[in-house]
Amino acid sequence: MLRFQDIIGHENIKEHFQRAVREHKVSHAYILAGEAGMGKKSLADAFALTLLCERGRMEPCMECHACRQVLSGNHPDLIHVTHEKAGSIGVDDIREQINDTIVVRPYSSPYKVYIVDEAQKMTTQAQNALLKTIEEPPSYAVIVLLTTSSEAFLPTILSRCVQLKLKPLRDSVVREYLKENQGVSDTDADIYAAFARGNLGKAVQIASSEDFRNMYQEVLHLLKHIRDMDISELLDYIRKLKEDSVDIQEVLDFMLMWYRDVLLYKVTTDINLLIFKDEYGKFKEISDKSSYDGLKRILEAIEKAKVRLDANVNMELAMELMLLTMKEN
């Protein structure tokens, strides 16, 4: 469990929570929204740890009895709401873990904190049950809802919660973290940071993923040699993607990064602006043979493939059309 000072980025949210603690203006219900891996749980845990710390400061002391209880997972006034069904949080989960226990005063702290992870999975009935509690909560109650999508909540829930949205970190921040804490090389750190789009958790995950490394090498090989591959080789490549259960959207994101680099190199010839800096020789070769319009058509084809796959169009057909456009241009 982390303190606010240990969390990378999200300064506005950390300052909001710390100001609430300092000024004794803690709200009864919060929604923390952001992609999986962006740090919602770390922020919620740091907030809970700060609220329950006996020293009452803007950062937990990590030494008092309350802090030690939180760190060991045994603090009676910190409740992590769980659910047995993987796809939903039901009305019974909310009633039994929140509504039926929130009327009991805190055992040893000024606050009683409830953290609901994956809160977007609450059914309508569960949300309505929770609404009754957050409309008239006890003065000591703090409920933190963690979600990947605020749109999943009823308007009545949204209107009664303080909404805090996590923003992507700068690529430079993610890149430095990977290099200093994960031992990632400069070249790979550039690629992972760009691919993660400001999501530190995702960057750390792909940096240690053998599957991502394999996908990276296979797609790189395709992109370098697609001009010389015949139709049967392209079809074999598509079949292999399907057999290996590769995340096709990740493959397409990787291709977009590559061709944006190609176009950027064609426009500027500035190696320092590239994500794939080590491949500048290949970029020069491709940009010499491809027109601006051709590269634009390739980027449009990749975007169109992403849309088609989201619409459940046949994967083989969507990929074949895209790869043929890439080969021709």
Side-chain angles (χ1 to χ4, degrees), residues 75-322:
H75 199 295
D77 297 323
L78 174 57
I79 299 93
H80 287 89
V81 176
T82 60
H83 53 104
E84 291 186 6
K85 292 183 179 178
S88 68
I89 300 175
V91 63
D92 289 339
D93 295 318
I94 297 301
R95 284 175 177 161
E96 293 171 9
Q97 297 179 63
I98 299 180
N99 294 3
D100 293 350
T101 66
I102 205 165
V103 293
V104 179
R105 295 190 65 82
Y107 289 94
S108 58
S109 302
Y111 296 100
K112 193 167 189 176
V113 185
Y114 293 82
I115 297 176
V116 186
D117 198 5
E118 300 180 309
Q120 73 277 0
K121 293 183 177 180
M122 284 192 294
T123 63
T124 300
Q125 293 85 353
Q127 291 189 49
N128 280 320
L130 179 63
L131 181 62
K132 294 176 182 177
T133 294
I134 62 176
E135 282 179 329
E136 297 180 2
S139 60
Y140 49 77
V142 179
I143 299 172
V144 186
L145 306 177
L146 312 183
T147 183
T148 54
S149 174
S150 296
E151 296 173 0
F153 296 129
L154 298 171
T156 44
I157 292 284
L158 293 172
S159 66
R160 287 164 175 79
C161 297
V162 174
Q163 298 183 54
L164 301 170
K165 184 173 177 59
L166 279 71
K167 297 178 181 178
L169 304 180
R170 294 192 308 276
D171 282 357
S172 59
V173 173
V174 176
R175 189 163 53 242
E176 288 307 309
Y177 182 88
L178 291 176
K179 288 160 57 177
E180 293 177 10
N181 295 276
Q182 303 291 313
V184 174
S185 68
D186 286 357
T187 300
D188 286 346
D190 284 342
I191 295 168
Y192 299 156
F195 198 86
R197 295 176 180 169
N199 186 326
L200 184 60
K202 182 176 181 180
V204 171
Q205 184 265 319
I206 63 178
S208 59
S209 169
E210 191 64 32
D211 288 340
F212 184 87
R213 170 62 63 176
N214 292 336
M215 182 275 287
Y216 171 4
Q217 296 298 336
E218 288 184 14
V219 176
L220 207 57
H221 178 80
L222 170 76
L223 294 171
K224 288 180 177 181
H225 300 97
I226 189 167
R227 184 183 293 271
D228 304 318
M229 296 169 71
D230 59 33
I231 301 301
S232 63
E233 288 177 294
L234 293 179
L235 294 176
D236 286 342
Y237 181 81
I238 295 170
R239 278 193 290 272
K240 187 173 189 311
L241 287 178
K242 188 172 184 180
E243 289 169 3
D244 293 347
S245 299
V246 173
D247 186 329
I248 302 299
Q249 290 290 356
E250 283 198 347
V251 170
L252 297 179
D253 286 341
F254 194 91
M255 290 176 170
L256 280 173
M257 283 170 48
W258 173 269
Y259 279 108
R260 283 170 182 160
D261 258 12
V262 174
L263 184 58
L264 189 60
Y265 181 81
K266 188 173 182 67
V267 172
T268 68
T269 67
D270 187 345
I271 297 170
N272 295 316
L273 298 176
L274 305 179
I275 296 169
F276 299 91
K277 292 182 176 63
D278 289 356
E279 302 294 341
Y280 70 90
K282 194 66 181 178
F283 289 153
K284 183 178 187 310
E285 177 188 328
I286 296 172
S287 66
D288 287 344
K289 295 178 180 178
S290 301
S291 66
Y292 288 111
D293 285 343
L295 292 172
K296 183 181 176 183
R297 282 192 287 273
I298 290 173
L299 289 167
E300 288 173 348
I302 299 171
E303 292 284 9
K304 192 174 290 184
K306 289 174 71 69
V307 171
R308 285 170 172 162
L309 290 172
D310 281 338
N312 291 321
V313 172
N314 179 272
M315 186 275 275
E316 289 96 328
L317 176 60
M319 292 293 287
E320 183 178 347
L321 292 171
M322 181 199 70

